[in-house]
mmCIF file of all heavy atoms in Angstrom:
data_model
loop_
_atom_site.group_PDB
_atom_site.id
_atom_site.type_symbol
_atom_site.label_atom_id
_atom_site.label_comp_id
_atom_site.label_asym_id
_atom_site.label_seq_id
_atom_site.Cartn_x
_atom_site.Cartn_y
_atom_site.Cartn_z
ATOM 1 N N VAL G 39 -11.056 19.900 26.603
ATOM 2 C CA VAL G 39 -11.486 18.887 25.538
ATOM 3 C C VAL G 39 -11.045 19.456 24.148
ATOM 4 O O VAL G 39 -10.496 18.707 23.338
ATOM 5 C CB VAL G 39 -12.863 18.461 25.714
ATOM 6 C CG1 VAL G 39 -13.389 17.622 24.424
ATOM 7 C CG2 VAL G 39 -13.120 17.664 26.953
ATOM 8 N N GLN G 40 -11.503 20.655 23.953
ATOM 9 C CA GLN G 40 -11.231 21.219 22.577
ATOM 10 C C GLN G 40 -9.734 21.481 22.388
ATOM 11 O O GLN G 40 -9.222 21.171 21.296
ATOM 12 C CB GLN G 40 -12.016 22.571 22.533
ATOM 13 C CG GLN G 40 -13.558 22.372 22.533
ATOM 14 C CD GLN G 40 -14.193 23.652 22.586
ATOM 15 O OE1 GLN G 40 -13.757 24.695 23.011
ATOM 16 N NE2 GLN G 40 -15.494 23.716 22.086
ATOM 17 N N ALA G 41 -9.016 21.783 23.339
ATOM 18 C CA ALA G 41 -7.489 21.979 23.287
ATOM 19 C C ALA G 41 -6.870 20.702 22.991
ATOM 20 O O ALA G 41 -5.946 20.507 22.270
ATOM 21 C CB ALA G 41 -7.005 22.599 24.498
ATOM 22 N N ASP G 42 -7.315 19.596 23.783
ATOM 23 C CA ASP G 42 -6.839 18.297 23.502
ATOM 24 C C ASP G 42 -6.964 17.770 22.136
ATOM 25 O O ASP G 42 -6.081 17.164 21.546
ATOM 26 C CB ASP G 42 -7.357 17.277 24.568
ATOM 27 C CG ASP G 42 -6.925 17.536 25.956
ATOM 28 O OD1 ASP G 42 -5.783 18.192 26.049
ATOM 29 O OD2 ASP G 42 -7.471 16.935 26.781
ATOM 30 N N TYR G 43 -8.202 17.942 21.607
ATOM 31 C CA TYR G 43 -8.605 17.653 20.257
ATOM 32 C C TYR G 43 -7.622 18.301 19.251
ATOM 33 O O TYR G 43 -7.058 17.661 18.350
ATOM 34 C CB TYR G 43 -9.915 17.897 19.807
ATOM 35 C CG TYR G 43 -10.142 17.891 18.409
ATOM 36 C CD1 TYR G 43 -10.158 16.706 17.685
ATOM 37 C CD2 TYR G 43 -10.225 19.161 17.650
ATOM 38 C CE1 TYR G 43 -10.277 16.763 16.375
ATOM 39 C CE2 TYR G 43 -10.404 19.050 16.334
ATOM 40 C CZ TYR G 43 -10.315 17.941 15.645
ATOM 41 O OH TYR G 43 -10.371 17.850 14.239
ATOM 42 N N THR G 44 -7.538 19.625 19.433
ATOM 43 C CA THR G 44 -6.548 20.428 18.512
ATOM 44 C C THR G 44 -5.192 19.852 18.477
ATOM 45 O O THR G 44 -4.554 19.784 17.427
ATOM 46 C CB THR G 44 -6.643 21.964 18.939
ATOM 47 O OG1 THR G 44 -7.964 22.413 18.882
ATOM 48 C CG2 THR G 44 -5.719 22.690 18.005
ATOM 49 N N ALA G 45 -4.592 19.510 19.720
ATOM 50 C CA ALA G 45 -3.372 19.068 19.790
ATOM 51 C C ALA G 45 -3.144 17.851 19.051
ATOM 52 O O ALA G 45 -2.146 17.391 18.382
ATOM 53 C CB ALA G 45 -2.968 19.001 21.153
ATOM 54 N N TYR G 46 -4.230 16.797 19.360
ATOM 55 C CA TYR G 46 -4.133 15.603 18.633
ATOM 56 C C TYR G 46 -4.352 15.671 17.160
ATOM 57 O O TYR G 46 -3.525 14.945 16.470
ATOM 58 C CB TYR G 46 -5.394 14.777 19.176
ATOM 59 C CG TYR G 46 -5.487 13.329 18.646
ATOM 60 C CD1 TYR G 46 -4.555 12.401 19.006
ATOM 61 C CD2 TYR G 46 -6.454 13.027 17.712
ATOM 62 C CE1 TYR G 46 -4.686 10.975 18.440
ATOM 63 C CE2 TYR G 46 -6.550 11.786 17.128
ATOM 64 C CZ TYR G 46 -5.745 10.762 17.495
ATOM 65 O OH TYR G 46 -5.772 9.608 16.954
ATOM 66 N N ASN G 47 -5.078 16.536 16.789
ATOM 67 C CA ASN G 47 -5.257 16.782 15.271
ATOM 68 C C ASN G 47 -3.989 17.208 14.710
ATOM 69 O O ASN G 47 -3.491 16.711 13.601
ATOM 70 C CB ASN G 47 -6.357 17.833 15.006
ATOM 71 C CG ASN G 47 -6.452 18.182 13.607
ATOM 72 O OD1 ASN G 47 -5.796 19.161 13.136
ATOM 73 N ND2 ASN G 47 -7.345 17.491 12.779
ATOM 74 N N GLN G 48 -3.389 18.111 15.261
ATOM 75 C CA GLN G 48 -1.960 18.715 14.889
ATOM 76 C C GLN G 48 -1.005 17.569 14.802
ATOM 77 O O GLN G 48 -0.152 17.450 13.822
ATOM 78 C CB GLN G 48 -1.515 19.926 15.716
ATOM 79 C CG GLN G 48 -2.408 21.208 15.459
ATOM 80 C CD GLN G 48 -2.023 22.239 16.389
ATOM 81 O OE1 GLN G 48 -1.321 22.051 17.381
ATOM 82 N NE2 GLN G 48 -2.494 23.478 16.057
ATOM 83 N N LYS G 49 -0.918 16.764 15.851
ATOM 84 C CA LYS G 49 0.033 15.706 15.873
ATOM 85 C C LYS G 49 -0.057 14.789 14.766
ATOM 86 O O LYS G 49 0.861 14.307 14.149
ATOM 87 C CB LYS G 49 -0.130 14.957 17.288
ATOM 88 C CG LYS G 49 0.740 13.728 17.368
ATOM 89 C CD LYS G 49 0.407 12.982 18.770
ATOM 90 C CE LYS G 49 1.069 11.591 18.818
ATOM 91 N NZ LYS G 49 0.726 10.873 20.023
ATOM 92 N N MET G 50 -1.370 14.290 14.630
ATOM 93 C CA MET G 50 -1.604 13.272 13.573
ATOM 94 C C MET G 50 -1.466 13.795 12.171
ATOM 95 O O MET G 50 -1.010 13.067 11.272
ATOM 96 C CB MET G 50 -3.047 12.700 13.787
ATOM 97 C CG MET G 50 -3.276 12.125 15.147
ATOM 98 S SD MET G 50 -1.965 10.755 15.594
ATOM 99 C CE MET G 50 -2.432 9.594 14.368
ATOM 100 N N THR G 51 -1.737 15.073 11.860
ATOM 101 C CA THR G 51 -1.601 15.717 10.626
ATOM 102 C C THR G 51 -0.109 15.862 10.288
ATOM 103 O O THR G 51 0.292 15.658 9.257
ATOM 104 C CB THR G 51 -2.224 17.085 10.663
ATOM 105 O OG1 THR G 51 -3.687 17.001 10.873
ATOM 106 C CG2 THR G 51 -2.170 17.801 9.257
ATOM 107 N N THR G 52 0.640 16.272 11.334
ATOM 108 C CA THR G 52 2.137 16.375 11.104
ATOM 109 C C THR G 52 2.698 15.084 10.837
ATOM 110 O O THR G 52 3.614 14.889 9.839
ATOM 111 C CB THR G 52 2.813 16.956 12.287
ATOM 112 O OG1 THR G 52 2.244 18.320 12.587
ATOM 113 C CG2 THR G 52 4.307 17.167 12.166
ATOM 114 N N SER G 53 2.212 14.132 11.562
ATOM 115 C CA SER G 53 2.739 12.664 11.333
ATOM 116 C C SER G 53 2.476 12.171 9.907
ATOM 117 O O SER G 53 3.369 11.615 9.296
ATOM 118 C CB SER G 53 2.181 11.710 12.423
ATOM 119 O OG SER G 53 2.592 10.358 12.162
#
Side-chain angles (χ1 to χ4, degrees):
V39 169
Q40 293 173 338
D42 288 346
Y43 162 73
T44 299
Y46 178 73
N47 174 269
Q48 291 175 345
K49 173 187 172 183
M50 300 308 290
T51 300
T52 299
S53 180

